[in-house]
Amino acid sequence: MRVLIGVVGALIVLGTFSSVLRTLLIPRPTRSAFTRVLHRMVHVPFQFMADRFPRFETKDRVLAPEAAVSVLFHLVGWLAAAWLGYSMLQMAISGFGAVGALWETGVALFTLGFASSRTVELTALDLCAAATGPIIIGLQIGYLPALYGAYSRREAEVTTLQARAGSPPWGPEILARYAQIGLTDSITDLFRSWERWSAEVSESHTSYVVLSRFRSPRAGDHWLVSLLAVMDAAAMQLALSPSCPQADARLTLRGGFVCLRNIAEVWRLPFEPDPSPDSPIQLTYEEFAEAVAHVTAHGYTVERTPEQAWPHFCGWRVNYEDLAYRFAYLLDAVPAPWSGPRRTCKEKIAPVTPVDRKPNVSP
């Protein structure tokens, strides 16, 4: 029995170190099963509470602390697992009871220093436990600047998009606002910046999975809905105005759905890697036609009718719609138009196009 307890304890300690390495040190998608369990233990109660409120603003306030609590809970979980594993090793080596082993390991792991071992084997085990605590805590502290640095870079572009796409962001609103102020020709600059943004988010959100749960400072903003809006704007431009420069819009679309697919692989969400452009989408033609009327009313020039553009738009949107809708559902993102259903919130929050007011100037 003591041998079995020792083997289990050793496996717990090794599993804890493996989880720490996978989560904090290895810069690639190597999320551990223990990390998923810890995250689930935090997510379930937060989501349960959020589902009790019908208004999105209240749900957003409830879910806002979830990611930060998850980061803290990971630290507590790793320390607790190390404490349990080393305690079981103490029981196997020394013959301590459960309470004595927890006491001996606890004062070593947290470097309290008021219990002493009686044998060389226990002293060596205490030294290992004493090193484990500061190592885990130090790595977690060093992890935070990288985590919040990636969050800050992500949110800078999301905040910038608010003036261009409204709050919450919506793809057709981007085209409408650019047309309203006569900057349609410069929309390629937006597409270029969001192609780079997609690459950065793909790297950071697969290496640091908890980043996907970090919400924007304002309830009306969300990284996923912002990406969806930019991709919809690119798809609409390609479908409605084929003579416009296509390279940046096409690269933005590809960068966007590759980003979603990379994150989906880490989340273990299945997806169709090469969907047919003729496959059906969930967005309806009526919604698309209303959006075309909206952008043309604000001065956007179209070369195709909504009927002619619809198959081309569907051919682009089929590459990312399903994953975007599933992520929006799982993350309970702001219910913007064209972003799919939510868990409990039925309302859709549409952005308001600013009125282009001009002063009365006497001739």
Side-chain angles (χ1 to χ4, degrees), residues 176-197:
R177 294 195 181 195
Y178 268 81
Q180 186 180 58
I181 59 179
L183 291 178
T184 306
D185 292 340
S186 66
I187 199 171
T188 54
D189 295 334
L190 176 72
F191 293 152
R192 290 192 198 102
S193 65
W194 276 80
E195 180 194 359
R196 291 190 296 271
W197 181 94

Side-chain angles (χ1 to χ4, degrees), residues 197-199 201-202 223 227 254-264:
W197 181 94
S198 297
V201 168
S202 176
W223 69 270
L227 176 59
R254 181 150 191 89
F257 67 70
V258 167
C259 171
L260 291 178
R261 291 175 184 181
N262 288 341
I263 298 174

Side-chain angles (χ1 to χ4, degrees), residues 13 20 22 47 53 76 78 91 129 140-142 151 166 170 177 190 220 238 265 285 305 313 332 356:
V13 171
V20 172
R22 289 168 178 265
Q47 191 65 67
F53 301 97
V76 175
W78 287 325
M91 292 172 63
Q140 183 79 329
I141 293 173
Y151 170 79
W170 182 40
R177 294 195 181 195
L190 176 72
L238 291 171
E265 288 178 351
Y285 170 75
T305 64
F313 178 76
D332 240 337
D356 188 16

